[in-house]
Amino acid sequence: MTCARCGGPLETFELGGRRAVVCADCGYVDTAVGHEPARNGDEESWDRAIERFIEKFGDTVE
């Protein structure tokens, strides 16, 4: 089997019943990934974060 990107040789790795095909030349991996950050619902505004900082360290900058 050859890589769809570069034509290099593919290696198959298996762990815990899951398989991944990896290209030895270009590093392509056929594993699906998500690039969006996980949202936990407890998002904080910048204003609130700055307020917390000032409450903890005061309003002085050296």
Side-chain angles (χ1 to χ4, degrees):
M1 205 176 348
T2 60
C3 178
R5 282 188 181 171
C6 73
L10 295 177
E11 298 178 23
T12 301
F13 296 95
E14 189 169 340
L15 178 64
R18 296 191 140 183
R19 268 184 42 181
V21 178
V22 180
C23 176
D25 290 343
C26 74
Y28 169 77
V29 178
D30 73 340
T31 304
V33 296
H35 296 283
E36 296 297 321
R39 304 283 183 197
N40 63 8
D42 296 334
E43 294 181 25
E44 180 178 43
S45 70
W46 276 105
D47 290 334
R48 179 60 194 129
I50 292 170
E51 286 174 12
R52 278 191 315 100
F53 181 86
I54 291 170
E55 289 168 5
K56 185 170 184 175
F57 298 106
D59 193 18
T60 60
V61 177
E62 293 182 22

